[in-house]
Amino acid sequence: MGRKDASMSRTPVDQYRKQIGKQDYKKTRPMLRATRLKAEAKKTALGVKEVALVLAAILVFLLAFYAFFYLNVSNEVDLDLDPDEN
C-alpha cells in the first residue's frame, strides 16, 4: 500500500520527465553527445544584443572623443583670431 501512495504523489511534471528520460535512453550515444554539444554552444554563443551593445558603446566613445577635440580646436581658433590684425 505504501508503494501505491508513493506513485500517486508524483506530479505530472515528474511523470513527463520520466517519460522523456525513457525516450532519451533509446537514443544512441553520438546523438546524445551531439545534442549536448549543441546546447552548450548555444549557451556560450554571443547574442545579437551583446554585440550591438558593444558596438554602440564603442561608437559613443568615439563620438565623445571626436567632439572633445573638435570643441577644443574650434575654441583655440576663435581665440587666436584677432580682427585687428588684418
Side-chain angles (χ1 to χ4, degrees), residues 11-48:
T11 62
V13 174
D14 289 335
Q15 291 173 352
Y16 177 74
R17 287 180 182 161
K18 186 176 180 181
Q19 185 181 19
I20 295 296
K22 286 180 182 178
Q23 290 174 359
D24 280 346
Y25 184 72
K26 293 176 185 177
K27 292 180 181 176
T28 62
R29 283 184 184 243
M31 287 177 68
L32 291 173
R33 184 177 295 133
T35 305
R36 185 175 63 240
L37 290 174
K38 187 187 241 184
E40 287 176 6
K42 193 173 186 180
K43 283 182 186 177
T44 60
L46 286 178
V48 174

Side-chain angles (χ1 to χ4, degrees), residues 65-80:
F65 188 74
Y66 178 77
F68 174 75
F69 282 110
Y70 177 77
L71 291 174
N72 279 343
V73 169
S74 64
N75 288 341
E76 288 177 10
V77 170
D78 290 340
L79 294 175
D80 289 341

